[in-house]
Amino acid sequence: KLNALFKEVLGAPRDPDTLLRDVFVMRERIAKEHASTSHWQIKHWRGGLVDLEFMAQYLLLKHCGDHPDLITGNTADVFDRLAEKGLMDTGLADRLSATTRLWRAIQWVLRLTVEEKFDPETAPEALKARLARIARVETFEDLDRIIEKRGADVREAFTSLIETPAAALPALDAEAQE
């Protein structure tokens, strides 16, 4: 019964412009509240998990009325399902899905091993080596470069899918924004 209710609520018709605008505005609010310039703050950093989750949720809400089998609680699986349905470029979906899985694995290790914010300058070498192994690379420096590259890819996708189209929408008057 709950699954049927979720599908009904998530699949309800939505104005696409309102959905796009609402997703963009909410992401901007979160960015202001949790601003981070370090890519080791893998959740809130621009290019991090929050951007991936917002893209997946936006596309899910946009398409699940016609494709209720897109609904899943796993962000990476949403990208995979979008590609399977031809609703997203397969190459982009594969990259976003793989990056989601990598970001989750990094987040998991850091949550288990670091009490405060992760600082690569003071982190134990064993932890750095473990993080590199998660990404299947030789060195921590290789991982650092991968995070930068994949983060840039996520930011580019977010800009293309959400930010640029939202900016092209007609502005709301001040009363409608409240």
Side-chain angles (χ1 to χ4, degrees):
K1 287 182 179 181
L2 280 176
N3 283 339
L5 180 61
F6 287 143
K7 286 182 179 182
E8 181 182 332
V9 170
L10 293 175
R14 290 174 173 76
D15 176 68
D17 290 350
T18 301
L19 174 63
L20 178 62
R21 183 181 285 113
D22 289 350
V23 167
F24 177 70
V25 167
M26 180 60 71
R27 177 60 183 113
E28 290 305 302
R29 283 185 192 155
I30 290 172
K32 287 177 185 173
E33 290 178 25
H34 299 281
S36 176
T37 57
S38 170
H39 59 260
W40 291 105
Q41 302 305 310
I42 206 79
K43 182 174 181 177
H44 290 289
W45 169 66
R46 286 300 193 149
L49 278 168
V50 172
D51 284 342
L52 288 160
E53 291 165 353
F54 266 80
M55 283 187 285
Q57 291 166 13
Y58 164 68
L59 293 168
L60 177 70
L61 290 170
K62 181 178 178 181
H63 295 293
C64 73
D66 295 327
H67 304 278
D69 53 335
L70 289 173
I71 298 170
T72 175
N74 183 306
T75 300
D77 289 347
V78 171
F79 294 125
D80 294 338
R81 291 176 184 191
L82 286 162
E84 289 168 9
K85 298 271 182 208
L87 299 169
M88 178 178 246
D89 173 76
T90 302
L92 176 60
D94 289 348
R95 291 191 314 274
L96 295 177
S97 178
T99 300
T100 301
R101 288 181 172 94
L102 178 59
W103 283 187
R104 288 270 181 227
I106 290 169
Q107 181 186 47
W108 176 75
V109 168
L110 293 178
R111 281 186 174 174
L112 288 175
T113 58
V114 178
E115 289 183 34
E116 301 278 326
K117 291 182 179 182
F118 177 75
D119 180 1
E121 299 298 320
T122 61
E125 291 302 316
L127 176 55
K128 290 179 178 182
R130 176 70 181 129
L131 290 167
R133 281 193 307 275
I134 287 170
R136 296 183 171 101
V137 296
E138 296 275 329
T139 68
F140 181 77
E141 291 72 22
D142 292 338
L143 173 59
D144 202 54
R145 285 189 289 278
I146 286 171
I147 291 174
E148 284 287 343
K149 182 179 182 305
R150 288 198 183 181
D153 193 36
V154 169
R155 286 190 305 274
E156 182 179 313
F158 185 89
T159 298
S160 173
L161 291 170
I162 297 173
E163 188 172 339
T164 299
L169 293 173
L172 292 176
D173 60 46
E175 188 174 304
Q177 290 180 11
E178 294 173 10

